[in-house]
Amino acid sequence: MPIEFPAIPSAGVYYFNTKSSLRYEVRFGRLQDNILHTNIVFGVINEEFEGEEYITTNRGEVYQVMNTIVEIIKNYMTEHTKVNVYEFNAIGREGEDEKIENARMCLYKRFLPKIFSQDWKFKIEGNIALVTKS
């Protein structure tokens, strides 16, 4: 899927569209108290879902979406080589316990090794994954 890169690399916001016309946003946010720690958030921004961006995995595009997100993260990493912590939050569906690993985190765990080399260490607690440079 074609990726729309930010005009200014430090902006940290990427977009892409799926074959079924879902528009995704991938956003990289730096922590105020540690600019070398980046939180990665992504989801659908189509108005039809009114903020319910986690419904999209039902369209059978999850692997293409995740592979595109892998490509975006790798690009971000080449442009921001000093970042040494990446954080992923696998926000669950309503009623799911945030402290118990959900299906979304299981999916993320499958893709983390595609993004990060052996120089990185994974720490997963519930629905939060911290990836730190060794």
Side-chain angles (χ1 to χ4, degrees):
M1 290 178 244
I3 298 168
E4 297 171 33
F5 295 89
I8 302 168
S10 61
V13 181
Y14 299 72
Y15 298 96
F16 65 93
N17 297 315
T18 67
K19 291 178 183 173
S20 68
S21 300
L22 291 176
R23 183 155 178 80
Y24 275 81
E25 176 184 79
V26 181
R27 183 177 295 270
F28 296 83
R30 304 261 186 120
L31 270 60
Q32 281 187 334
D33 62 342
N34 182 0
I35 62 168
L36 301 179
H37 182 140
T38 298
N39 191 335
I40 302 171
V41 180
F42 54 90
V44 172
I45 57 172
N46 294 59
E47 290 181 20
E48 68 185 281
F49 296 109
E50 297 175 4
E52 184 56 46
E53 62 265 32
Y54 302 106
I55 197 164
T56 61
T57 58
N58 295 335
R59 294 217 177 153
E61 298 174 317
V62 67
Y63 296 110
Q64 292 109 339
V65 166
M66 290 304 295
N67 283 325
T68 303
I69 291 169
V70 166
E71 187 177 336
I72 289 170
I73 295 170
K74 284 182 173 185
N75 178 80
Y76 183 89
M77 290 174 70
T78 61
E79 293 179 349
H80 301 85
T81 57
K82 302 281 187 210
V83 172
N84 57 21
V85 179
Y86 288 93
E87 181 177 336
F88 297 82
N89 296 299
I91 298 170
R93 292 179 179 93
E94 192 173 319
E96 286 184 334
D97 187 343
E98 293 178 15
K99 295 180 180 168
I100 298 173
E101 193 174 289
N102 63 24
R104 185 164 284 111
M105 181 53 72
C106 290
L107 176 67
Y108 292 1
K109 282 172 46 177
R110 287 181 62 186
F111 282 86
L112 289 176
K114 293 182 178 191
I115 302 168
F116 300 97
S117 69
Q118 294 177 340
D119 297 339
W120 294 82
K121 185 172 73 174
F122 305 144
K123 179 181 177 186
I124 298 169
E125 292 183 1
N127 294 322
I128 296 175
L130 283 176
V131 183
T132 55
K133 194 157 196 165
S134 301

